[in-house]
């Protein structure tokens, strides 16, 4: 695999390893974590197998976010085909998701990690469109998606099943690479003469 380590101001992002899974399981099944997830409780053995499959899948670019060497969350990124007629370039879209340990919540780490993975997907993997779905009432997730520059493309009325709430609304967000370059990519600082 090419060098897929990404450093941000406070975090390092790198592929998820087998020995990360026990650490991830320390928070993955907490009620405040599962509340707005489609896959709620996970059983450790199949969870580990899922991460092993992901590590072996060339289209899976998910990463662990580490703070001072401790895994505090994961950002999943899976390259997929868009829809299209014959001749369409494959694997130009990617689905994005994220789960963070609430013990580290509220410090902007998830936003920092998701922004970095979006930049990685566009700049290093050549992804042209990133999508993410969430329950409409998952306000922290909505906030992250909007802060990283994604746009709400769909508000699905009653399209999503929640184990406690029944049918609730869902959102689909997306971001085109060209929009990201224009509006959300980190801007180069002007030099002393004020020129870009
Ligand atoms: C979603 C999640 C990653 C957010 O983690 P976090 O540590 O709160 O993230 P950050 O600190 O980077 O930023 C969260 C933003 O949401 C806001 N936020 C958090 N909780 C909120 C709430 N209940 N209502 C409104 N805004 C909220 C924060 O204020 C912050 O925005 P700000 O920087 O403008 O103030 C975390 O809660 C999580 O892992 N949840 C469980 C899994 C999940 O739902 N994943 C997403 C599935 S779509």
């Amino acid at each position: 695999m090419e060098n897929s380590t990404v450093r941000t101001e406070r975090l390092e992002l790198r592929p998820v390893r087998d020995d990360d899974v026990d650490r991830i399981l320390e928070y993955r099944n907490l009620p405040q974590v599962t509340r707005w997830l489609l896959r709620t409780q996970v059983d450790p053995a199949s969870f580990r197998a899922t991460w092993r499959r992901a590590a072996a899948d060339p289209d899976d670019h998910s990463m662990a976010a580490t703070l001072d060497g401790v895994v505090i969350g994961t950002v999943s990124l899976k390259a997929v085909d868009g829809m299209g007629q014959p001749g369409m370039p494959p694997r130009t879209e990617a689905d994005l998701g994220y789960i963070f340990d609430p013990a580290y919540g509220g410090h902007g780490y998830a936003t920092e990690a998701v922004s970095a993975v979006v930049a990685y997907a566009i700049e290093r993997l050549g992804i042209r469109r990133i999508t993410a779905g969430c329950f409409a009432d998952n306000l922290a997730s909505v906030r992250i998606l909007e802060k990283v520059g994604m746009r709400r493309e769909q508000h699905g009325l009653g399209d999503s099943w929640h184990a406690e709430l029944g049918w609730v609304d869902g959102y689909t967000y997306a971001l085109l690479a060209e929009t990201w370059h224009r509006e959300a990519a980190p801007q180069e600082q002007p030099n002393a003469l004020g020129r870009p």
Side-chain angles (χ1 to χ4, degrees):
M1 184 185 278
E2 61 153 328
N3 177 13
S4 47
T5 299
V6 174
R7 284 193 180 76
T8 67
E9 200 184 325
R10 297 175 294 174
L11 306 173
E12 184 175 288
L13 293 126
R14 48 134 181 99
V16 177
R17 301 192 292 245
D18 214 41
D19 59 359
D20 294 329
V21 174
D22 288 333
R23 162 68 192 123
I24 297 169
L25 282 165
E26 288 174 17
Y27 59 84
R28 176 58 183 80
N29 284 333
L30 297 174
Q32 63 268 48
V33 174
T34 60
R35 175 151 177 83
W36 296 115
L37 290 177
L38 292 182
R39 206 163 152 235
T40 52
Q41 294 280 320
V42 292
D43 108 82
S46 47
F47 189 65
R48 189 178 304 281
T50 302
W51 278 116
R52 277 193 188 145
R53 275 196 304 278
D57 180 350
D59 292 324
D60 196 304
H61 303 280
S62 301
M63 298 208 202
T66 66
L67 174 70
D68 300 328
V70 177
V71 175
I72 62 163
T74 50
V75 182
S76 58
L77 185 78
K78 178 91 192 261
V80 294
D81 290 343
M83 51 183 241
Q85 296 189 334
M88 180 191 66
R91 302 292 191 265
T92 65
E93 284 202 15
D95 287 332
L96 176 73
Y98 34 83
I99 303 177
F100 276 72
D101 181 350
Y104 294 86
H107 296 285
Y109 294 131
T111 306
E112 191 170 318
V114 174
S115 302
V117 170
V118 166
Y120 175 82
I122 294 171
E123 292 188 317
R124 306 255 299 264
L125 302 177
I127 295 293
R128 59 172 288 278
R129 178 176 155 84
I130 299 174
T131 58
C134 65
F135 286 107
D137 282 340
N138 190 352
L139 299 179
S141 187
V142 166
R143 183 81 188 109
I144 289 174
L145 293 171
E146 295 190 348
K147 278 198 293 181
V148 304
M150 297 190 65
R151 291 222 178 98
R152 190 182 305 162
E153 287 192 340
Q154 188 214 17
H155 178 167
L157 297 179
D159 68 352
S160 305
W161 176 256
H162 189 280
E164 290 155 24
L165 305 172
W167 291 109
V168 295
D169 293 2
Y171 291 154
T172 307
Y173 279 79
L175 175 65
L176 282 175
E178 64 194 57
T179 310
W180 182 82
H181 281 295
R182 203 171 53 236
E183 297 176 8
Q187 301 299 309
E188 287 191 11
Q189 296 300 313
N191 64 19
L193 296 173
R195 295 194 191 103

